[in-house]
Amino acid sequence: LCASPSSQGSGYGGQVSCWAWGSGNAFGETRPIATPMQLQVKGRSLRGLGTAWDQTLLVASSGALWAAGINSDRCLFEDRPEGPQAAAKVDLLELDGLQVEAAAGGRAHIITILEDGEKVLSWGSNNEFGQLGHGGAIALARVGPRAVVLPAPRAQVRQVACGEAHSLLLTVAGTIFAFGDGSCGALGS
């Protein structure tokens, strides 16, 4: 569940409890949270949780993606300033009409599983190490939501996890796809 040095979370009965350290943490708060507190998501029922470096990702029962935390390089919300943001729906044209199943993120990227694992989208403030899975590295340039390129035969994806600059996808067949920064051995090679 956690990919961040600043946040953790758990869900029970549609409620989210969270704890974190540091200022400007992943819950739109600017104070440390040492014991679990309930995160308010405007009465939304949730079916999934994910974390990114300084962000919290929430998948509503409706399939909408919600987020809170530091809007670094406008990775969460294109229309909001950088800095701490309270939980709000991620409003991206590329997500319109699609059901988000799961989401995770790294230091400057987010990956979502959509439509029962049939589609995977990623975006971020850069793709320096190929962590977006778009088939090529692009340093220091914002990359909008695009499909992750998986080799054929294409399998349904059921889980996503991200580190600072790498990403992992697990298919229903049990195959793991790894991409991004492998300099510390995080890609298993």
Side-chain angles (χ1 to χ4, degrees), residues 67-85:
I70 304 297
N71 194 26
S72 302
D73 297 317
R74 292 190 165 82
C75 197
L76 297 178
F77 308 106
E78 293 179 325
D79 60 343
R80 293 183 180 196
E82 293 189 15
Q85 300 291 323

Side-chain angles (χ1 to χ4, degrees), residues 27-28 39-42 58 66-69 77 80 85-89:
F27 305 101
L39 177 63
Q40 299 299 320
V41 192
K42 298 183 182 182
L58 309 166
W66 285 59
F77 308 106
R80 293 183 180 196
Q85 300 291 323
K89 184 178 180 222

